[in-house]
Amino acid sequence: GEDVEQSLFLSVREGDSSVINCTYTDSSSTYLYWYKQEPGAGLQLLTYIFSNMDMKQDQRLTVLLNKKDKHLSLRIADTQTGDSAIYFCAVLEGGGNKLTFGTGTQLKVEL
Amino acid sequence: ETGVTQSPTHLIKTRGQQVTLRCSSQSGHNTVSWYQQALGQGPQFIFQYYREEENGRGNFPPRFSGLQFPNYSSELNVNALELDDSALYLCASEGGDGYTFGSGTRLTVV
């Protein structure tokens, strides 16, 4: 089955850019998602990209997809303390009824 | 504001009991999925319903079952609760613009 991996922690200074990386194994994946989870809360959909795209930009968020390397990244520009949370990469398998999540990257934004 | 609401927000049950968790999706969202998120982990797919029929199932035993109703609400039922069932249970609906999750139900089994 699909395997999705993320690094566990990332620490950045306020105002810097953050880049969160994700790798996956299923080349037939169709949609790839980024979710944000704050302590004790559910998942907030940040953005998603279709597998035939290389890049998607949405305000401070930029998603890059390298389909050849099965690598997805989320760049947050001008990172703020309110961006501190756990970020999950999720991949929709080909066939389309199951999201496979990574273990999440905890982003800590320091003043 | 999310279009997916879940109830209750927190629940404590005793091992061996049964539990029903509820989810209300946005009107027109025919697909609902349930996920289990254990502490410190990513969510794991339990199953999906499309137009009231099961449309895929993850690696969960049959004591995890579900229902979807015509009014876009759904239920997750878990029988014979085990301590390892303690987790955050998330409902997600899909309406053509990505999977939107509810805030979840935190289930504690003691």
Side-chain angles (χ1 to χ4, degrees):
Chain A
E2 176 79 82
D3 189 27
V4 179
E5 295 195 356
Q6 300 178 238
S7 53
L8 291 180
F9 298 103
L10 176 65
S11 180
V12 300
R13 296 177 71 91
E14 189 177 40
D16 287 350
S17 292
S18 309
V19 180
I20 302 171
N21 295 301
C22 170
T23 58
Y24 60 98
T25 55
D26 185 1
S27 58
S28 69
S29 301
T30 53
Y31 287 89
L32 301 100
Y33 298 83
W34 285 103
Y35 287 91
K36 176 183 179 182
Q37 187 173 41
E38 298 185 72
L43 298 174
Q44 176 191 351
L45 175 62
L46 293 176
T47 187
Y48 63 93
I49 189 168
F50 188 53
S51 59
N52 69 353
M53 298 169 65
D54 298 325
M55 186 183 87
K56 181 178 180 182
Q57 187 152 2
D58 185 0
Q59 299 182 332
R60 292 192 298 126
L61 305 179
T62 303
V63 179
L64 295 178
L65 175 60
N66 182 328
K67 202 172 177 184
K68 174 176 169 289
D69 293 340
K70 302 189 190 72
H71 181 269
L72 182 73
S73 68
L74 174 69
R75 177 178 180 270
I76 305 173
D78 187 25
T79 313
Q80 302 296 307
T81 54
D83 295 324
S84 293
I86 299 177
Y87 290 79
F88 289 96
C89 163
V91 177
L92 187 65
E93 66 177 21
N97 65 2
K98 170 186 170 183
L99 285 173
T100 300
F101 285 81
T103 50
T105 298
Q106 176 141 23
L107 174 65
K108 181 178 178 183
V109 182
E110 299 176 321
L111 296 172
Chain B
E1 179 185 329
T2 180
V4 180
T5 56
Q6 292 187 242
S7 63
T9 54
H10 295 82
L11 199 53
I12 300 174
K13 288 287 191 177
T14 303
R15 190 171 48 180
Q17 285 188 313
Q18 179 265 342
V19 69
T20 298
L21 309 182
R22 294 181 171 84
C23 172
S24 178
S25 307
Q26 285 181 266
S27 177
H29 285 205
N30 294 313
T31 301
V32 66
S33 306
W34 285 89
Y35 288 78
Q36 180 196 66
Q37 186 180 19
L39 199 61
Q41 298 183 21
Q44 299 289 318
F45 177 73
I46 303 175
F47 45 58
Q48 182 183 87
Y49 279 78
Y50 175 72
R51 296 192 173 185
E52 302 165 50
E53 297 284 333
E54 189 176 290
N55 183 42
R57 187 177 184 92
N59 190 25
F60 281 81
R63 57 190 186 83
F64 285 78
S65 63
L67 286 171
Q68 185 185 25
F69 303 100
N71 65 352
Y72 306 106
S73 66
S74 65
E75 289 180 355
L76 165 65
N77 298 289
V78 188
N79 293 323
L81 283 166
E82 300 177 0
L83 296 179
D84 284 350
D85 295 333
S86 294
L88 180 68
Y89 288 85
L90 295 160
C91 167
S93 74
E94 203 284 325
D97 195 27
Y99 283 80
T100 301
F101 282 78
S103 299
T105 294
R106 172 80 57 191
L107 173 65
T108 303
V109 183
V110 297

